[in-house]
């Protein structure tokens, strides 16, 4: 399949990533428009580097992120907490940065975004948690720093890395501020990979049973 990126059309082979240099905010907005309904294609913009990164995720990407999102929802239900989640979603700060996390959760601020088709970070709060599945490309934490997302999870090669936003940027965390009493860093990858080999429903059911029994 040919690679085609223009203001009218985006076509990328599955699993590919391209980086466009010397790009502007106007270029970024034009590509978001040209993507149309190809929601599987992710587009990221960083004004500091003047780069746009376009990604076409693989099948394993979709399966693993779906499982990870289901596990997070199961945790929230188990803790009797409310949330509002988005996937897909475009997060932008005008003229500065734009990203499309594989999933994001509003937990503390879930009421603030109810009923909104589009998010505007000039007036809306950023999500409390953004999740990225790095199978096709690497997440640019500098973009999320501009977007002021307090917690970012990055799943790559069977490992879940947790990052918390500080005044100096993101720091790697051993525990999640969102789930401080749960060892998500070690627990969730077990069930994400379990789903890949045994089935999504099987892994989720086993995870929910472990939460109920406290194992």
């Amino acid at each position: 399949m040919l690679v085609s990126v223009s203001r009218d059309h985006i076509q990328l082979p599955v699993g590919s990533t391209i980086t466009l240099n010397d790009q502007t905010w106007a270029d970024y907005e034009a590509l978001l428009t040209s993507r149309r309904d190809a929601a599987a294609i992710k587009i990221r913009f960083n004004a500091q580097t003047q780069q746009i990164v376009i990604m076409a995720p693989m099948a394993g990407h979709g399966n693993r992120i779906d499982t990870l999102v289901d596990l997070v929802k199961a945790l929230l239900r188990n803790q009797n907490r409310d949330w509002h989640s988005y996937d897909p979603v475009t997060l932008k700060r005008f003229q500065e940065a734009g990203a499309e996390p594989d999933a994001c959760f509003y937990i503390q601020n879930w009421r603030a975004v109810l009923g909104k088709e589009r998010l505007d970070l000039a007036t809306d709060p950023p999500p409390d948690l953004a999740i990225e599945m790095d199978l096709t490309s690497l997440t640019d934490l500098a973009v999320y720093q501009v977007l002021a997302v307090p917690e970012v999870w990055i799943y790559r090669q069977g490992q879940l890395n947790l990052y918390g936003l500080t005044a100096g940027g993101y720091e790697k965390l051993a525990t999640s501020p969102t789930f401080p009493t749960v060892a998500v860093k070690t627990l969730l990858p077990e069930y994400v990979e379990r789903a890949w080999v045994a089935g999504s429903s099987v892994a989720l059911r086993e995870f929910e049973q472990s939460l109920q029994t406290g194992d």
Side-chain angles (χ1 to χ4, degrees):
M1 183 183 293
L2 295 176
V3 174
S4 174
V5 178
S6 70
R7 288 176 177 260
D8 300 317
H9 181 69
I10 298 177
Q11 183 175 353
L12 292 181
V14 172
S16 63
T17 301
I18 65 170
T19 300
L20 307 178
N21 297 310
D22 301 318
Q23 300 295 296
T24 66
W25 182 262
D27 295 326
Y28 171 60
E29 291 279 18
L31 286 174
L32 288 177
T33 301
S34 69
R35 177 180 56 185
R36 296 191 178 96
D37 295 328
I41 292 178
K42 305 284 186 178
I43 305 175
R44 183 176 69 220
F45 174 70
N46 187 334
Q48 294 182 341
T49 61
Q50 294 184 303
Q51 288 184 330
I52 292 175
V53 179
I54 307 173
M55 300 148 277
M58 296 181 292
H61 176 285
N63 176 271
R64 286 178 169 89
I65 189 61
D66 283 350
T67 300
L68 186 51
V69 167
D70 285 343
L71 296 175
V72 171
K73 290 178 179 179
L75 269 178
L76 290 167
R77 285 194 298 269
N78 180 259
Q79 296 178 355
N80 198 30
R81 298 165 71 183
D82 291 315
W83 76 90
H84 196 59
S85 59
Y86 281 92
D87 173 29
V89 66
T90 301
L91 304 175
K92 297 187 289 185
R93 285 199 184 275
F94 184 67
Q95 298 282 5
E96 296 184 80
E100 296 176 320
D102 290 310
C104 68
F105 286 84
Y106 283 84
I107 303 169
Q108 294 182 6
N109 295 310
W110 68 276
R111 288 187 178 89
V113 294
L114 291 180
K116 296 194 173 183
E117 294 290 344
R118 296 177 183 272
L119 299 176
D120 181 358
L121 296 189
T123 54
D124 297 321
D128 299 293
L129 171 65
I131 304 176
E132 290 278 18
M133 187 68 56
D134 279 9
L135 295 184
T136 305
S137 65
L138 299 181
T139 296
D140 185 355
L141 282 172
V143 170
Y144 281 103
Q145 184 175 348
V146 175
L147 300 175
V149 177
E151 185 175 358
V152 178
W153 293 1
I154 301 176
Y155 191 93
R156 182 173 179 80
Q157 296 180 342
Q159 294 186 339
L160 181 63
N161 292 309
L162 319 177
Y163 297 89
L165 185 60
T166 69
Y170 283 99
E171 291 185 355
K172 241 182 179 181
L173 304 173
T175 59
S176 166
T178 303
F179 301 102
T181 62
V182 181
V184 296
K185 185 177 173 63
T186 55
L187 182 63
L188 298 190
E190 173 186 347
Y191 288 95
V192 170
E193 296 307 317
R194 172 71 171 154
W196 185 244
V197 297
S200 303
S201 62
V202 172
L204 182 60
R205 184 165 56 250
E206 291 175 353
F207 179 67
E208 290 173 331
Q209 289 170 349
S210 73
L211 293 177
Q212 292 170 3
T213 60
D215 295 338

